[in-house]
Amino acid sequence: MQMRFDGLLGFPGGFVDRRYWSLEDGLNRVLGLGLGCVRLTEADYLCSHLTEGPHRVVAHFYARQLTLEELHTIEISAVHSRDHGMEVMGMVRVPLYTQKDRMGGLPNFLANSFVGTAKFQLLFALKILNMVPEEKLAEAVAATLRPKKAAIDHSGGAG
């Protein structure tokens, strides 16, 4: 995923003008600007979501399995892309584990702010691609819904 300029987490992508591009051509054009080295095809398509509100947008979601070497290449390429430091502040790896405290890892990651349908797309992909066991995914989501404990000030000073 990416940390965006507005502090929200999202996936690489952008708007595609269907008058001039197929979905995959437009997506690869946008990915070329942001990542530089990955090409997606129709076979990588997972789903689409319609966002509600004044500016209705259809978000098409694609996913591809990468080798660790390919992921490293993308992460390095992303730092040198045209959008880095302007629209995109950096790549972010999603932790696919939950720590013993049942909050660290994926549950804490899911507590972040996501743009548009990105959180739903992430959860959908983790489930449909069997990247996280379904019961662990449900536990991670449930953990983000529990109220957080107030931080304890151990400094001893008055505030």
Side-chain angles (χ1 to χ4, degrees):
M1 296 190 80
Q2 295 177 327
M3 176 59 69
R4 296 163 29 105
F5 67 95
D6 55 8
L8 300 175
L9 290 170
F11 289 101
F15 292 102
V16 175
D17 188 334
R18 291 290 306 259
R19 294 177 296 176
Y20 306 107
W21 305 89
S22 72
L23 281 176
E24 289 77 22
D25 287 342
L27 177 60
N28 286 315
R29 179 183 58 81
V30 172
L31 289 178
L33 299 175
L35 301 178
C37 59
V38 67
R39 288 200 56 81
L40 297 173
T41 68
E42 194 174 321
D44 299 313
Y45 172 82
L46 276 187
C47 60
S48 297
H49 301 97
L50 174 65
T51 61
E52 295 296 330
H55 304 288
R56 292 172 51 142
V57 174
V58 178
H60 303 284
F61 190 62
Y62 291 71
R64 161 151 329 135
Q65 184 173 344
L66 302 170
T67 65
L68 188 56
E69 183 177 294
E70 289 170 325
L71 179 59
H72 285 157
T73 301
I74 288 172
E75 289 174 329
I76 291 167
S77 179
V79 172
H80 301 289
S81 73
R82 184 195 79 172
D83 292 340
H84 184 77
M86 300 289 286
E87 290 185 31
V88 177
M89 298 297 112
M91 300 293 293
V92 178
R93 290 189 187 191
V94 177
L96 301 179
Y97 58 86
T98 299
Q99 294 179 337
K100 289 181 183 179
D101 66 1
R102 301 177 72 186
M103 277 306 295
L106 184 58
N108 274 340
F109 185 84
L110 294 175
N112 283 302
S113 296
F114 295 80
V115 66
T117 59
K119 185 174 183 177
F120 180 82
Q121 291 171 327
L122 171 62
L123 293 170
F124 180 80
L126 293 177
K127 179 179 178 180
I128 201 90
L129 299 174
N130 298 312
M131 297 175 74
V132 175
E134 199 165 336
E135 65 278 359
K136 295 292 184 187
L137 190 56
E139 289 172 11
V141 171
T144 65
L145 302 176
R146 286 187 222 121
K148 294 188 178 196
K149 295 179 182 175
I152 299 174
D153 181 7
H154 293 287
S155 65

